[in-house]
Amino acid sequence: MSDLLRPVWQVWLALAAGVLLAVVFAGLGVWQVQRLGWKLDLIARVEARAHADPVPWEDILALLPADQEYRRVTASGRFDHGTETLVRAVTGLGPGYWLLTPLRGDDGGTVLVNRGFVPPERADPDTRTAGQAGGIVTVTGLARLTEPGGGFLRDNDPGNDRWYSRDVAAIATAKGLGPVAPIFIDADAAPQPGGYPKGGLTVIRFRNTHLAYALTWFVLAAMAAAGVVTLALQERRARA
């Protein structure tokens, strides 16, 4: 046997490793295709929710959290402007704040409403008195899940009333609101007297890179399979 020939066990080990890699990579590609189908179905369901006829917000509380989010809902009651909360935000209108205000229903239920965006110069309620609606109001918007903890690299600081996420439970505790719904409502774009707050800025976006990942895994599987075939042919010619 030529000294250039590899030991048989090394050849079989290399071939087995190549086959294993090809199978694993192909499996990961199939998994990403399945994830792509799930993500597309999720996007379709959320889009359908967001454009459906609104229902009372209380009606969705029995649903699982994943089935609550982005449902179109209505709520009626009186805004408690004295306990509003400003949450830092960056939007298509620039940096500023989300304005969260408790809406207290006549039945005793309370839900936080993200009434919309206000720029820094409108953070003080005295600069937007026209938008501080009194009496019974009806709000239409999208149900959203609480955002506990804070934002990117910034924790909420309830003691100093600094908020970087819409953490329903923490805001309710800090403001002494009593029992509140575990969701909040992103108000729609209905115009407000005085122009602020500006609602209807909910961004419905889901990161969807599953197709790119699937193609990457399938290419790697093909490369591993090609490597197996090439090695097998080379060894066959060498030993002939």
Side-chain angles (χ1 to χ4, degrees), residues 114-141:
N114 175 19
R115 298 185 61 208
F117 171 81
V118 293
E121 63 271 18
R122 296 297 186 103
D124 189 333
D126 292 338
T127 64
R128 45 182 167 78
T129 54
Q132 303 293 80
I136 297 290
V137 298
T138 297
V139 176
T140 301

Side-chain angles (χ1 to χ4, degrees), residues 154-166:
R154 290 187 172 183
D155 294 332
N156 292 326
D157 183 3
N160 291 304
D161 202 25
R162 293 194 184 97
W163 302 92
Y164 302 97
S165 74
R166 293 164 291 189

Side-chain angles (χ1 to χ4, degrees), residues 23 29 44 58 78 84 123 130 167 169 174 181 190 201 232:
V23 171
E58 300 94 339
R78 290 178 170 82
E84 68 182 22
D167 187 334
L201 298 178

Side-chain angles (χ1 to χ4, degrees), residues 1-23:
M1 179 182 295
S2 170
D3 292 339
L4 297 178
L5 292 177
R6 302 180 183 88
V8 174
W9 69 268
Q10 288 186 358
V11 175
W12 282 109
L13 181 61
L15 292 173
V19 170
L20 177 61
L21 286 175
V23 171

Side-chain angles (χ1 to χ4, degrees), residues 202-226:
T202 307
V203 176
I204 302 178
R205 181 184 300 133
F206 296 92
R207 187 168 180 265
N208 187 6
T209 57
H210 298 297
L211 180 58
Y213 286 151
L215 292 175
T216 299
W217 290 124
F218 286 137
V219 168
L220 291 173
M223 292 172 63

Side-chain angles (χ1 to χ4, degrees), residues 32-66:
Q32 286 295 333
V33 169
Q34 293 171 341
R35 294 282 294 170
L36 174 63
W38 168 82
K39 183 62 68 66
L40 292 177
D41 179 65
L42 172 64
I43 292 171
R45 284 188 284 114
V46 168
E47 286 291 337
R49 293 177 198 171
H51 295 93
D53 293 334
V55 299
W57 66 269
E58 300 94 339
D59 290 356
I60 71 168
L61 295 183
L63 301 175
L64 294 173

